Amino acid sequence: MMYSQILLATTLILSLTNVVFGDGQHSGSRDRAAARAARKAQRAVTEDATYWNQLGQQLLLDELGKQRINSQAKNIIFFLGDGMSISTVTAARIYKGQKAGKTGEEEQLYFDRFPYTALSRTYCTDAQVADSACSATAYLCGVKTDTDTIGIDANVEFNNCTTQNDPATRVDSVMAWAQAANKGTGIVTTTRVTHATPAGTYAHVANRDWEDDYAQSFDGADSTICDDIAEQLVLNNPGQNFKVILGGGRAYFTPRTAEDPETGAAGRRRDGKDLIGQWVANHPTGKYITTRDELVNLDVAGTDSLFGLFSPSHMEYFLESGTANNPTLEEMTRTAIQMLQKEANGYVLLVEGGRIDQAHHDGRAKVALEEAFQFDLAISAAVNLTDPADTLIIVTADHSHTMTINGYPDRGNDILGLVGYLASDLKPYTTLSYANGPGYVNGYLGGDRVDLTNVDTTADTFRQPALVPLASETHGGDDVAIFARGPQAHLFQGVYEQHYIAHVMGYAACIGPGVKFCDVPRSRY
């Protein structure tokens, strides 16, 4: 049989089974029409022309009434959703709505309501697709650099300990700028506090993996010459001056002879240093904590500095934290803000929803969306605790991921479910999928697509199907969104290089080496 005959026969079969190519899925059957009518009847609001016109006019009036806050930002809270691509934002919005019993698409994340938005171009000096190290250097230090390096410019060679120590190649972060202006500073994360994003606030390192001296040993780096990231946090500026440090990673601060208070496992450090003990000695009016109970019962007024490490490594995913005495990201954020609000000159705080990224790497979309939902709750807490007249809040991501929202699922279809139509191979497929990653095992088996008909794709452990088999799903190179409110938030209304973000923070808060709001004649406005 000729190829054209085979194609014709296949197309005929698919047409007869109501499965067609491309936009043919728009053509519905009688059953589909009946299902649509039933769903419409169940909606609380009739979404007719009147509904949409009224909503459109209200949105227009809101936009016309928007007022710039053209003043100095006393405080800055920078929220970083690690790996929070635009598709993640959309899916998390739907996930949030469906958790509340809604169809989901109409839901809003708290930061969706911020008045100013923009796009950030995330490529790095040596890569089309960024990692969390080079991107952290961009949005925290105002300088793009090579992948896998933090707090240094592109003149530093990856893995080269000597060039790491050259002052000419080091770049300061907004935290160093803030401390020079006598502002309080702090970091909150769900990852290890030595991981790439938080490390971008204080570290200068030629390899992001050098979180402790044990990690350095695998690359032959001399830990007596180059301080590892944990050392830089506790012993060097600006890290040692942070008023708040909350996250995971206890094992990276303790020697092999020490036992973890939660797991009993040994610490990682080979140099015998007890950096937690060193921090406590250096902060006699500070408090070191390891549990949620200690955090929620903290005497904020009587605590000058706070160091909280709640897990030996990364903090557990929220969906898997039931047996861990861990605070939520929202709880950590609340405490951090309350601690820093004592600072007379204001503060700069980084809050990272770091495990959004790691769940995507695992190919577990539900876990990633729950982490994004928890991130949104932390943003809500910050909004409720601060005044937009003096606090600039920025929400963005460092890079994207390969997750897509695809097919033609009906309104209100479970974002974690099957699309509702069969593909050309007469098998269903999920709304969310990845271009690559460990979810390949749920994509293909022996060259054929896996049949997910009787698979619970909404399970916490399910990995969304992926096309390319990889042990860990990769980042994506597409732009990410910026959401902002407060003083100078109007400077985010376009498409910008990612390092521009740090320059806006410096300008708005009148910190750092660049042009500042305080220095610009008001006649320009």
Side-chain angles (χ1 to χ4, degrees), residues 9 24 35 42 76 79 105-106 123 128 150 153 156 168 171 194 216 245 267 280 303 371 388 396 427 451 464 470 498:
Q42 294 173 355
I76 295 177
F79 281 94
E105 295 83 359
E106 72 288 347
Y123 70 92
Q128 198 170 69
I150 301 171
D153 70 17
V156 171
V171 291
T194 51
Q216 286 181 315
I245 304 168
V280 171
T303 304
E371 292 296 311
T396 189
K427 296 175 183 177
D451 189 347
Q464 269 60 33
L470 290 176
Q498 191 172 48

Side-chain angles (χ1 to χ4, degrees), residues 1 8 27 75 130 148 152 181 204 217 234 290 313 335 348 352 384 440 444 458 467 519:
M1 184 180 291
L8 178 62
S27 60
N75 315 305
D148 297 308
I152 50 182
H204 308 278
S217 68
V234 173
T290 61
S313 185
T335 300
V348 176
E352 182 197 21
N384 291 332
Y440 181 82
Y444 291 89
T458 68
L467 177 63
D519 299 335

Side-chain angles (χ1 to χ4, degrees), residues 207-219:
N207 186 334
R208 58 173 288 178
D209 291 336
W210 292 349
E211 296 182 54
D212 62 8
D213 67 313
Y214 183 47
Q216 286 181 315
S217 68
F218 290 99
D219 293 313

Side-chain angles (χ1 to χ4, degrees), residues 437-445 450 463 466:
Y440 181 82
V441 297
N442 290 322
Y444 291 89
L445 182 65
V450 174
R463 285 188 165 97

Side-chain angles (χ1 to χ4, degrees), residues 326-342:
N326 286 346
T328 64
L329 183 60
E330 177 187 6
E331 290 169 335
M332 291 192 291
T333 301
R334 285 185 180 277
T335 300
I337 293 172
Q338 289 165 354
M339 284 285 298
L340 291 169
Q341 283 176 333
K342 299 183 295 181

Side-chain angles (χ1 to χ4, degrees), residues 189-344:
T189 181
T190 50
T191 69
R192 297 188 293 267
V193 296
T194 51
H195 212 236
T197 298
T201 63
Y202 62 85
H204 308 278
V205 64
N207 186 334
R208 58 173 288 178
D209 291 336
W210 292 349
E211 296 182 54
D212 62 8
D213 67 313
Y214 183 47
Q216 286 181 315
S217 68
F218 290 99
D219 293 313
D222 188 341
S223 61
T224 64
I225 296 176
C226 284
D227 290 342
D228 59 70
I229 296 175
E231 284 182 304
Q232 293 187 44
L233 175 57
V234 173
L235 304 176
N236 299 354
N237 293 328
Q240 65 179 347
N241 298 320
F242 286 170
K243 292 292 184 178
V244 180
I245 304 168
L246 298 174
R250 280 192 301 263
Y252 292 73
F253 294 84
T254 56
R256 288 186 294 177
T257 54
E259 288 189 1
D260 187 82
E262 181 183 4
T263 66
R268 288 174 47 95
R269 300 197 66 84
R270 269 51 180 173
D271 56 10
K273 292 181 180 179
D274 175 11
L275 294 177
I276 294 173
Q278 185 66 58
W279 186 92
V280 171
N282 293 346
H283 299 82
T285 58
K287 182 76 172 178
Y288 171 67
I289 60 176
T290 61
T291 67
R292 175 184 181 273
D293 295 339
E294 291 175 296
L295 182 77
V296 298
N297 294 310
L298 181 73
D299 177 12
V300 172
T303 304
D304 183 58
S305 301
L306 179 62
F307 190 15
L309 296 176
F310 304 104
S311 296
S313 185
H314 301 304
M315 294 178 67
E316 287 79 2
Y317 288 128
F318 181 82
L319 290 174
E320 299 176 352
S321 63
T323 60
N325 191 3
N326 286 346
T328 64
L329 183 60
E330 177 187 6
E331 290 169 335
M332 291 192 291
T333 301
R334 285 185 180 277
T335 300
I337 293 172
Q338 289 165 354
M339 284 285 298
L340 291 169
Q341 283 176 333
K342 299 183 295 181
E343 299 296 316

